[in-house]
Amino acid sequence: MQRYSLNVLMAAIAVVLLVLAQYRIIDGYIQATLMYVGINIIMSTSLNLVNGNMGEFTCGHAAYMCVGAYISSVLSVFCFGNKLGAPLLPADMAVVVFPIIILIGGFLASLVAILVAVPSFKTRDDYLAIITIAVNYIVISAIENMDFVGGSRGFQGMKDTVWAMKGTLNAPWMLFWVMLFTAFNVWVIRRFITSTFGKGVNAICQDEVAAEIMSVNTNKIKTVNFMLSAGLAGCAGGLFAHIVGYVNPQSFNILKSTEAMVMVYLGGMGSLSGAVISAVVFTFLMEVLRSQPLMDFLLAPATFVFPDWEPSAGVIKWIIIPLLLVLIMQFRPEGILGNRELSDVFPKLKKFYTFK
Amino acid sequence: MDFLIQNILNALQWGSFYALIALGYTLVYGVLRLINFAHGDIFMVGAYIAFGISGVLLGPSIGLSPLWTFVVAVPLTMALTACVGVTLERIAYRPLRRKGAHRLYVVITALMCGFILEYSNLAVLGAERLKFPELIQKSIWHMGDVTITNLKVIVIVAAIAVFVLLNFIVTKTKIGMAMRGISYDKFAIPLMGIPIDFIIVFTFVLGSAFAGLAGLLYAMSYPILEPFMGMLIGWKAFIAAVVGGIGDIKGAFVGGFLLGFIEVGVVAMPGLESTYRDLFAFSILLIILWVKPTGLFGMPQSTKI
């Protein structure tokens, strides 16, 4: 029973959400928020592979997301859209081809990570941080200078693929794909980290020299880890592009990377369940803080004193969230779970599920 | 030839800003092993403080002449910005240091403090851009086709003077010796009777004051202020410090000018669009770090086994 309990629970939740979305019980806004939760889970868990489990310091994670988003957008417009010439494939193949497009985007994004992985053989933490920031800027700047994907004006037309899927069967396809990819991503990461090969990742975090002496091939593990993390982020980027239907290089800048970092450190470094929980919490927090009435209520004393000061929720949100994180760093620097999984914090849960 | 000299001058001015900010990064890193990501925003705060001071001094209640305003504004801006830097250190970094927290947590805190500074500025002052008043009567000298403004000369001279001063402080004075000592061995230094907190505060004072000076000069050269002006220039100055070898005064200076020359060179190169500026700057940085993993002047760290 406990072997399948978690999977059954997750599948049940997914089915319930899909049914609710199908019969319009939850509206488009809540669906979009749920999809962002999925994408943020992918982003935070994949960054957690590098920042938490390997102990390196990456702060340019949005670069891979950008590559994945653009590659999969261009491919999907080529295959099903009308923006770059006539569609290559018939519309009823969209359901089969769409996940392949996303995976190709992820694969090419993982090739970009080689730019980071090769210098990481020699460089240490701070210098590696710079290299990742540089890669983030290089990717954005390179895409801004490509005219056939619209440069800095952005690129659109991916919605054609989503409509092609809806033409085959009218269902909330994007929600389905996001949930499927999120489950796939968590499963892959869990499998990788607990495998014999993946134990080397934690060994590198503890002590690189000792790991090298104990016959861990550090260069190989670093390369694989960076590429896996980047590939998953690329998949997240592809999904993001198809949800929004419009991508712009500037939406994948340092701010986006910072968001991913905030989620990792909120959840606890090296804790997979922590990264998932913090991604859910963070996304809902972002959405809640976006509401102007709530902000007005919170800031009522201040606006009473200064009547002509009109704060906007979108700005105050970005003061509250960093402040929250600063306070977390002061009083609970290890994050929500802090390098332990959920079943370590609550041992009684082990009776009910095993997570492999 | 004239075109070349003109662009070299522009690159010197542009590199001066990078160098001034990179010096602050390097000072704090050299002493604390902490990347102070809020430094770019301290530069932004410095520019705004300079704006406020000049507004007050030029206003009807005091009514100084623009030149006197500049003379008074330089020390005032530096002092007030230093206060901001020290406040950050007191509130955010020192408690973490006392707890012996992981280095990365301090870095994240610094990054978040930068966001808080940016967005609180946006919330309080609104999104409209401010126009910085003209403090120094612009005089332009022509030599052939080369135009030199007095502001350019002031910026370049200020950067060089700051570098010489810092080099003197770090290498020749007792307090500089204490700084180098802290970066060498943080645990033995308090046993030698050196007040470690005072030295760290002094480091923040120095770094933030020069960021404030850079903010003032930047606002005078490009007189439009906005809350996010410190973000990109801060990241780039940090990159300049790393290319030079972070923790090394000379390296930060050289790295700043190098980055300035690269960027102005890309913009001035015929046949290249100015949108390629970031691409080239960061690609060259990547190549430098591939070849020399610890920067130009950085010492390779050896690990004991």
Side-chain angles (χ1 to χ4, degrees):
Chain A
M1 176 209 132
Q2 71 184 51
R3 273 188 65 185
Y4 301 108
S5 62
L6 192 72
N7 305 350
V8 170
L9 183 71
M10 287 294 154
I13 291 175
V15 167
V16 166
L17 284 177
L18 284 174
V19 168
L20 288 177
Q22 173 70 1
Y23 293 105
R24 299 278 180 278
I25 298 171
I26 50 177
D27 57 354
Y29 171 68
I30 295 178
Q31 277 185 48
T33 311
L34 286 173
M35 289 192 254
Y36 288 142
V37 167
I39 282 170
N40 279 341
I41 286 175
I42 301 181
M43 284 300 281
S44 72
T45 47
S46 62
L47 183 63
N48 197 9
L49 261 183
V50 177
N51 272 16
N53 290 327
M54 202 160 70
E56 296 285 6
F57 186 44
T58 307
C59 34
H61 205 56
Y64 315 127
M65 197 175 171
C66 189
V67 173
Y70 264 87
I71 298 278
S72 55
S73 308
V74 170
L75 279 176
S76 96
V77 170
F78 262 123
C79 293
F80 306 103
N82 300 312
K83 200 161 169 285
L84 304 170
L88 294 176
L89 297 173
D92 51 4
M93 279 181 70
V95 178
V96 184
V97 176
F98 179 74
I100 300 173
I101 287 176
I102 298 283
L103 285 174
I104 291 173
F107 175 72
L108 288 171
S110 71
L111 292 185
V112 174
I114 294 179
L115 276 181
V116 177
V118 172
S120 80
F121 299 161
K122 289 193 292 185
T123 46
R124 293 271 162 257
D125 36 20
D126 301 322
Y127 292 96
L128 196 68
I130 306 308
I131 287 171
T132 56
I133 297 168
V135 166
N136 197 338
Y137 274 113
I138 286 171
V139 165
I140 288 175
S141 196
I143 286 180
E144 274 186 344
N145 286 307
M146 289 180 191
D147 271 339
F148 78 98
V149 291
S152 53
R153 290 184 305 283
F155 182 73
Q156 54 194 8
M158 295 78 85
K159 280 286 183 192
D160 292 345
T161 313
V162 183
W163 287 324
M165 284 193 283
K166 288 211 170 180
T168 325
L169 172 68
N170 193 3
W173 276 108
M174 279 318 293
L175 188 62
F176 168 71
W177 286 124
V178 169
M179 287 197 287
L180 191 74
F181 269 99
T182 308
F184 168 75
N185 149 78
V186 173
W187 176 77
V188 163
I189 288 177
R190 176 73 187 179
R191 282 294 190 186
F192 176 69
I193 286 298
T194 49
S195 68
T196 315
F197 180 78
K199 291 267 200 292
V201 175
N202 266 327
I204 289 176
C205 177
Q206 300 290 332
D207 191 337
E208 199 175 326
V209 180
E212 184 75 58
I213 291 168
M214 299 304 281
S215 80
V216 174
N217 187 348
T218 48
N219 288 358
K220 186 177 173 184
I221 292 212
K222 276 181 181 174
T223 314
V224 169
N225 199 13
F226 271 114
M227 284 178 73
L228 177 64
S229 157
L232 292 168
C235 293
L239 291 166
F240 177 81
H242 284 85
I243 291 168
V244 181
Y246 167 79
V247 279
N248 183 335
Q250 280 306 325
S251 55
F252 302 106
N253 58 6
I254 293 279
L255 268 178
K256 193 83 185 170
S257 304
T258 311
E259 275 183 31
M261 255 169 25
V262 169
M263 285 187 276
V264 169
Y265 292 105
L266 191 72
M269 285 160 77
S271 157
L272 183 60
S273 43
V276 172
I277 291 169
S278 75
V280 176
V281 169
F282 181 81
T283 316
F284 280 118
L285 197 70
M286 291 286 258
E287 289 302 324
V288 167
L289 289 180
R290 203 189 274 182
S291 72
Q292 188 69 42
L294 180 83
M295 272 301 165
D296 288 342
F297 172 72
L298 284 177
L299 292 170
T303 44
F304 183 74
V305 180
F306 304 103
D308 47 358
W309 183 51
E310 291 174 352
S312 79
V315 175
I316 303 288
K317 182 176 85 174
W318 275 105
I319 299 176
I320 290 181
I321 286 173
L323 205 60
L324 196 77
L325 203 76
V326 167
L327 291 175
I328 284 176
M329 290 293 157
Q330 297 282 356
F331 298 110
R332 192 175 165 75
E334 65 270 25
I336 296 175
L337 293 184
N339 210 353
R340 294 172 304 171
E341 297 300 341
L342 200 59
S343 53
D344 302 334
V345 182
F346 304 107
K348 290 219 167 93
L349 283 177
K350 281 182 184 166
K351 270 190 226 160
F352 299 106
Y353 79 96
T354 51
F355 182 49
K356 288 206 172 75
Chain B
M1 191 63 213
D2 282 345
F3 175 74
L4 188 70
I5 293 174
Q6 179 68 60
N7 275 311
I8 285 176
L9 279 172
N10 292 347
L12 280 173
Q13 185 192 12
W14 194 230
S16 297
F17 294 122
Y18 284 149
L20 276 174
I21 303 170
L23 284 170
Y25 269 118
T26 279
L27 271 177
V28 173
Y29 185 88
V31 171
L32 276 183
R33 294 268 169 268
L34 149 74
I35 308 174
N36 183 9
F37 274 135
H39 198 74
D41 299 301
I42 289 178
F43 157 83
M44 180 271 297
V45 169
Y48 271 85
I49 286 176
F51 176 82
I53 289 174
S54 12
V56 169
L57 291 179
L58 290 170
S61 55
I62 297 180
L64 283 177
S65 69
L67 190 64
W68 272 108
T69 306
F70 174 69
V71 172
V72 177
V74 169
L76 263 181
T77 308
M78 284 171 81
L80 287 175
T81 319
C83 289
V84 174
V86 172
T87 311
L88 264 189
E89 198 268 338
R90 272 290 160 91
I91 294 175
Y93 307 153
R94 184 178 292 186
L96 283 176
R97 205 172 61 241
R98 287 275 159 79
K99 284 177 200 149
H102 195 284
R103 226 172 41 92
L104 278 186
Y105 297 141
V106 191
V107 171
I108 301 289
T109 304
L111 200 61
M112 291 302 127
C113 288
F115 279 120
I116 292 173
L117 284 176
E118 279 167 23
Y119 282 92
S120 39
N121 186 345
L122 189 61
V124 173
L125 294 177
E128 71 265 17
R129 300 178 167 192
L130 300 172
K131 173 89 175 64
F132 199 79
E134 194 174 80
L135 296 182
I136 291 184
Q137 201 68 45
K138 204 176 223 177
S139 58
I140 303 175
W141 302 299
H142 290 280
M143 300 183 182
D145 275 347
V146 182
T147 53
I148 306 173
T149 60
N150 50 0
L151 199 58
K152 249 190 197 111
V153 176
I154 289 176
V155 170
I156 296 167
V157 168
I160 293 170
V162 164
F163 168 66
V164 171
L165 176 72
L166 272 184
N167 222 0
F168 172 77
I169 288 177
V170 171
T171 52
K172 295 278 191 293
T173 60
K174 252 186 173 168
I175 209 162
M177 204 194 282
M179 282 181 189
R180 281 178 293 146
I182 292 176
S183 81
Y184 187 79
D185 188 344
K186 208 161 57 189
F187 299 102
I189 283 289
L191 307 176
M192 300 292 148
I194 292 169
I196 193 163
D197 278 337
F198 171 74
I199 305 288
I200 286 170
V201 165
F202 183 76
T203 311
F204 270 88
V205 166
L206 275 184
S208 310
F210 294 135
L213 179 67
L216 173 66
L217 292 172
Y218 189 88
M220 284 165 66
S221 315
Y222 310 97
I224 302 289
L225 302 185
E226 48 137 2
F228 298 100
M229 64 191 268
M231 207 168 163
L232 193 61
I233 201 169
W235 283 110
K236 282 187 177 169
F238 174 43
I239 278 166
V242 170
V243 166
I246 195 158
D248 183 288
I249 304 273
K250 187 164 71 223
F253 193 68
V254 172
F257 279 109
L258 187 72
L259 196 63
F261 270 94
I262 289 169
E263 292 205 340
V264 173
V266 169
V267 174
M269 194 75 69
L272 271 182
E273 288 181 38
S274 60
T275 46
Y276 284 96
R277 193 177 66 182
D278 286 4
L279 189 63
F280 274 77
F282 287 109
S283 304
I284 286 170
L285 159 98
L286 205 69
I287 292 162
I288 288 176
L289 283 184
W290 273 26
V291 178
K292 284 185 77 77
T294 49
L296 295 174
F297 295 97
M299 286 288 158
Q301 289 175 342
S302 58
T303 38
K304 275 187 188 170
I305 299 175

